[in-house]
Amino acid sequence: MTLMIADPPTSGTRLGVGFDAGRGRSRNEAWKTTIGTRPVPARFALLPEGKKRWNRMGLSAVLQISILTFFVVMPIFFPERIEQLK
């Protein structure tokens, strides 16, 4: 097995791409000053259980079944085919 190690290019142009993309840049540390050093209290308790919404699930199921039934039954009631123009 051959292992190749690529040396960074020594080109004078730095367009922010390639092997030398991160060299010579100062790191943006503004987020540290924005967050600050003051401790913030946190609650690690679980959220309460939500209410069961069986009526909405039932309504959704009825609507979906009725739409499916509509599209399945339409060809039975209207069996004519649309003639294609040539």
Side-chain angles (χ1 to χ4, degrees):
M1 175 186 234
T2 305
L3 178 67
M4 295 179 62
I5 298 176
D7 291 330
T10 58
S11 66
T13 60
R14 292 186 184 226
L15 300 176
V17 295
F19 289 113
D20 60 348
R23 293 185 183 182
R25 274 190 206 165
S26 63
R27 296 182 56 93
N28 186 2
E29 303 291 334
W31 63 272
K32 287 183 181 178
T33 57
T34 303
I35 290 176
T37 57
R38 192 184 72 190
V40 178
R43 287 189 332 183
F44 294 109
L46 294 175
L47 292 174
E49 285 290 323
K51 292 183 349 182
K52 302 289 185 199
R53 294 183 174 97
W54 291 107
N55 55 354
R56 291 188 183 188
M57 285 182 55
L59 177 65
S60 174
V62 167
L63 284 174
Q64 290 179 26
I65 289 172
S66 63
I67 291 171
L68 178 67
T69 305
F70 174 76
F71 283 114
V72 169
V73 170
M74 284 304 291
I76 296 172
F77 291 133
F78 301 103
E80 306 90 34
R81 295 218 178 241
I82 298 174
E83 292 186 27
Q84 295 178 356
L85 297 174
K86 291 185 181 185

